[in-house]
Amino acid sequence: MLFSQTIIKGTITDNDTKRPISEVVVTLNANERTVLSDSLGIFKIVTASKQFNLIFKKLGYAETRLTLEKSDSPDLNIVLSKKAFELAEVEISSEKRSAVIQNKRFFVEDYFILPGQAYLLVTHYMGQNGFNLMLGNAENKIKYSHKITGEENGELFLDCLGNIHLLSQTFARQVYLNSDSTFTFLPAVSRGMFDSTIAPCTTKIDKNYFFTSLNPSYTFEREGVKVKVNSNAAIVYKIEKQTRMDIKKLTYDKRTVVMFNDELNYQEQRKKTPGVRYSPTDILFPYQAIYIKIYTPVFNVRDTLVIFDIYEKQIHFFTKDGKPDHIINLGEDYATFHGLKFVFDRVTSQVYVLFKFNSGQYLRKVDLATGKLFPAIKLYNEFADKIQVYNSDIYYILKDHIDYDGTSYLYKQRF
């Protein structure tokens, strides 16, 4: 009954800065209830329990536990302290970083690594209308270049057949390498057609094509604020004899759904309080901080289909025909990693977790036999962009802040 419930609420702040901490995971009584702190560091839990064991967790902070006796309305002030870095950090010296393509005449916007230390580069010159596709080599030389005018936002895409495509906002062109010094394009198709036909194919194993699709997102208006709701599910499937066969469905875990509903209920209760209204940031909070876009890392590792379900904290393995093989548990809660991405080495078939921590970026290799992570490798610069791992070397685009010329170069960093 309502009168037997207790409201536990409080504010979470940083011990050093005294500022509120958002997105702290607050767990009550061993997963009975879980919520996130909002942009002001405020959390609220409604429970009928008589004893309260609270756990406060956030990546980069020491875990804090608190036990309370039953109270009508405990109002807490929780202070979290940053913990020592526990990721076996490996510092990378400047001697281990080298420029692959460093040319002050143009910006490097995207790249694709080819065998034999050659590179396809999407570039543009200052004031240029459009962009260029260039073919470079390890000697920092451009061997061939083609200009695309009247189009913007050039990027490179590797499809499930191993073909390279040059994409823009409006068109997609498959790149055909004539030799190690020239390339041509197949006829261009519209970007819409490409995104609906070729892009969804995630990988091909033997004669089997595997696809990934997200439930459509939608937008609605709440209290004058337009809110975009991310997709709440994704499906990995294959097409066999013109029939779709679902392989794996990924959805938000039950804890996330409970957190989302609790936040919405909290907002509804606040609306009933005279003179109290949520700000636009507070209204957006559950949709942006809790219901993040479903992430579907899918890889072909030596003819085995590997799907990471970070919501259920598992790695699922399937045969090349899409039949379930085995499941292992993740060694850590990847959902707590800030800016989480997965990076796949096309040469070694190793999978890496890329994430941000304390103004730095780190890579950790995944042990696919155990689900555990190897020690962290720190990237040379926190502003590194479009990070790839190829044959155990790390590549990324970085603006050269030393020269202050605004140009961006392609760099390589060794483990």
Side-chain angles (χ1 to χ4, degrees), residues 11-26 37 41 43 54-66 77-83:
T11 303
I12 307 172
T13 56
D14 185 293
N15 183 55
D16 297 324
T17 66
K18 313 303 180 186
R19 294 179 178 176
I21 308 174
S22 64
E23 299 182 34
V24 177
V25 179
V26 184
S37 60
F43 71 94
L54 295 166
I55 302 175
F56 302 86
K57 291 183 178 180
K58 184 176 177 67
L59 186 67
Y61 288 87
E63 179 183 301
T64 298
R65 295 174 178 263
L66 181 64
N77 291 310
I78 306 299
V79 179
L80 300 187
S81 299
K82 289 186 174 66
K83 64 179 179 180

Side-chain angles (χ1 to χ4, degrees), residues 101-375:
I101 296 294
Q102 188 177 34
N103 192 315
K104 293 185 178 182
R105 294 182 301 136
F106 54 75
F107 298 75
V108 177
E109 299 292 341
D110 201 4
Y111 65 99
F112 186 85
I113 306 166
L114 299 167
Q117 295 187 319
Y119 310 90
L120 281 173
L121 306 168
V122 177
T123 68
H124 82 271
Y125 295 92
M126 184 69 71
Q128 178 184 355
N129 175 19
F131 54 88
N132 317 284
L133 183 64
M134 297 179 173
L135 179 60
N137 61 17
E139 286 74 39
N140 197 12
K141 294 181 180 179
I142 302 301
K143 306 191 76 173
Y144 188 73
S145 179
H146 183 92
K147 182 185 296 184
I148 303 291
T149 59
E151 300 177 38
E152 301 296 334
N153 299 333
E155 60 178 319
L156 292 164
F157 181 91
L158 181 69
D159 69 20
C160 61
L161 294 174
N163 300 314
I164 307 167
H165 301 261
L166 176 64
L167 310 182
S168 70
Q169 284 183 323
T170 50
F171 293 103
R173 299 170 174 83
Q174 183 176 326
V175 182
Y176 180 75
L177 294 166
N178 299 318
S179 64
D180 61 354
S181 58
T182 62
F183 58 80
T184 56
F185 296 108
L186 298 186
V189 299
S190 72
R191 181 63 187 269
M193 179 181 293
F194 179 88
D195 289 344
S196 63
T197 57
I198 297 177
C201 184
T202 306
T203 190
K204 175 181 179 293
I205 305 178
D206 198 8
K207 297 180 180 180
N208 299 292
Y209 294 83
F210 296 93
F211 299 79
T212 302
S213 67
L214 294 174
N215 283 0
S217 59
Y218 63 94
T219 302
F220 71 97
E221 188 169 310
R222 183 178 181 205
E223 297 186 35
V225 179
K226 288 188 176 180
V227 178
K228 181 177 181 180
V229 181
N230 284 314
S231 169
N232 62 355
I235 301 289
V236 180
Y237 63 94
K238 76 170 185 174
I239 301 295
E240 186 173 291
K241 297 180 179 179
Q242 298 183 338
T243 301
R244 169 172 160 167
M245 300 177 60
D246 290 350
I247 304 297
K248 171 71 175 145
K249 182 176 182 180
L250 297 96
T251 62
Y252 295 117
D253 59 296
K254 294 180 180 178
R255 184 183 71 175
T256 301
V257 175
V258 170
M259 292 167 61
F260 181 81
N261 291 331
D262 280 354
E263 176 65 25
L264 292 185
N265 290 335
Y266 178 45
Q267 291 189 15
E268 290 300 320
Q269 293 176 18
R270 284 285 301 275
K271 284 172 60 178
K272 298 176 182 178
T273 304
V276 175
R277 289 186 64 83
Y278 257 17
S279 69
T281 300
D282 293 322
I283 293 172
L284 292 172
F285 176 77
Y287 303 96
Q288 295 180 337
I290 300 177
Y291 265 12
I292 60 176
K293 184 178 180 180
I294 290 285
Y295 191 30
T296 57
V298 179
F299 305 103
N300 171 10
V301 180
R302 301 181 181 90
D303 289 342
T304 297
L305 183 69
V306 180
I307 303 175
F308 283 77
D309 190 337
I310 61 176
Y311 310 96
E312 296 298 332
K313 303 179 179 65
Q314 294 176 331
I315 308 176
H316 292 251
F317 297 83
F318 299 83
T319 66
K320 64 181 181 180
D321 298 320
K323 297 178 180 179
D325 189 294
H326 67 284
I327 301 172
I328 63 173
N329 295 321
L330 296 177
E332 299 185 35
D333 187 357
Y334 291 14
T336 64
F337 288 4
H338 179 58
L340 171 69
K341 294 180 182 178
F342 284 80
V343 180
F344 183 66
D345 188 331
R346 292 181 282 118
V347 177
T348 66
S349 294
Q350 297 290 342
V351 180
Y352 298 83
V353 175
L354 172 68
F355 61 97
K356 298 177 181 178
F357 182 87
N358 282 355
S359 300
Q361 294 194 82
Y362 297 83
L363 280 169
R364 296 182 71 179
K365 185 168 69 173
V366 182
D367 186 338
L368 293 178
T370 65
K372 295 181 179 180
L373 296 177
F374 284 74

Side-chain angles (χ1 to χ4, degrees), residues 67-78:
T67 300
L68 302 173
E69 297 298 327
K70 185 171 178 60
S71 170
D72 291 334
S73 182
D75 200 344
L76 308 173
N77 291 310
I78 306 299

